[in-house]
Amino acid sequence: LANWFYGACALLLGAKFLQHAVIVWQAPEDKASKRMFGFSILYLFALFGALGLDFWLSQRWAAFKALQGVIPCL
């Protein structure tokens, strides 16, 4: 249901989340897990924001493509 923008954001955010998970797995201290928890909140916020922005961009692109048929100079 989403386009390339959301896919790119999900891929980058997922890679960063995986990096945090590996650090937590290797590090016994609490600081790394707290950092991962903080990133998980940012991760969800950014992922849902990217989904909304991707939808908005796809709507604008569809409107632009529709105008190309009406106005030949576009």
Side-chain angles (χ1 to χ4, degrees), residues 44-57:
L44 288 174
F45 178 77
L47 204 59
F48 287 125
L51 188 60
L53 186 58
D54 183 71
F55 178 74
W56 183 81
L57 289 172

Side-chain angles (χ1 to χ4, degrees), residues 3-14:
N3 293 316
W4 63 270
F5 180 76
Y6 174 76
C9 289
L11 184 68
L12 293 173
L13 287 167

Side-chain angles (χ1 to χ4, degrees), residues 39-50:
F39 179 76
S40 72
I41 294 170
L42 175 67
Y43 169 81
L44 288 174
F45 178 77
L47 204 59
F48 287 125

